[in-house]
Amino acid sequence: MTRQLPYSDLTLEEALDAFRKENNLEAKYRDMREEAQTHFERHDIIHVLFGLDTSIRQEAQADGWTLFGTDISLRHIREFFDLPEEKELIEDIGWWEITKAYFRGIPDYFRIAWQSRKLRKKWRWSDHAAYRSRRVGEIRQEFGIKRALAG
């Protein structure tokens, strides 16, 4: 029996709002510069589409889905890591904790790389405006997103 991923019945816009509320991210977004909001929102969309929470393991999985399941460019990755807000987040979590999580996640990355080959198409990292009013379940069906990894 396949369990339905969270937010399936919500629009992408509604799901993003719900994700932020559930993870206490609203104030953090309000305090960010517009450029950072854009980058973090793109990252949060990956969480929503693939049904991932904000645990360190699933954060790493979200990065794996971003690399293998979207059309993100190296320029966008570099811009993201250059953001003061991202640097602050990394400092808050700690490099050692992040490094451990990513090494533990290596098996997940192989599974994500394999599963991403089954997607009907890659998510457009920078161009999702047309999807904001569509239901998350419909978007998942269009792209072939079945489920995230366990976690």
Side-chain angles (χ1 to χ4, degrees):
M1 183 166 129
T2 304
R3 138 175 125 57
Q4 183 175 345
L5 290 174
Y7 311 119
S8 291
D9 296 329
L10 300 177
T11 65
L12 182 56
E13 187 75 40
E14 293 166 339
L16 279 169
D17 288 343
F19 178 81
R20 288 181 190 140
K21 285 178 185 158
E22 290 167 12
N23 293 287
N24 299 315
L25 299 173
E26 295 164 301
K28 201 172 261 190
Y29 265 88
R30 276 194 305 273
D31 295 341
M32 284 183 195
R33 296 170 304 116
E34 186 176 341
E35 179 185 12
Q37 287 176 356
T38 299
H39 281 279
F40 277 91
E41 179 172 89
R42 291 172 182 165
H43 174 78
D44 289 347
I45 286 173
I46 300 304
H47 280 273
V48 167
L49 291 178
F50 290 93
L52 300 167
D53 63 33
T54 58
S55 66
I56 192 95
R57 180 174 181 192
Q58 290 193 18
E59 284 290 348
Q61 289 177 8
D63 291 345
W65 282 112
T66 298
L67 290 173
F68 297 112
T70 76
D71 66 353
I72 193 170
S73 67
L74 288 176
R75 187 194 80 192
H76 282 115
I77 294 169
R78 188 177 60 249
E79 287 173 355
F80 192 69
F81 281 108
D82 285 342
L83 291 171
E85 292 85 350
E86 176 66 8
K87 290 177 181 177
E88 182 180 318
L89 181 62
I90 290 170
E91 190 175 303
D92 288 346
I93 296 169
W95 275 106
W96 180 242
E97 290 303 315
I98 292 171
T99 302
K100 286 190 307 188
Y102 280 85
F103 275 108
R104 283 187 203 122
I106 289 172
D108 291 344
Y109 302 138
F110 285 111
R111 288 194 301 269
I112 289 168
W114 181 254
Q115 285 183 6
S116 71
R117 295 169 42 112
K118 297 175 186 177
L119 295 176
R120 291 187 184 99
K121 58 185 174 181
K122 289 187 174 201
W123 178 255
R124 298 212 42 202
W125 182 254
S126 299
D127 184 19
H128 54 265
Y131 290 94
R132 293 184 84 84
S133 61
R134 292 193 47 205
R135 298 221 177 273
V136 172
E138 294 170 5
I139 297 169
R140 289 176 178 144
Q141 187 171 28
E142 179 180 332
F143 283 81
I145 299 169
K146 303 268 189 234
R147 62 181 172 82
L149 300 176

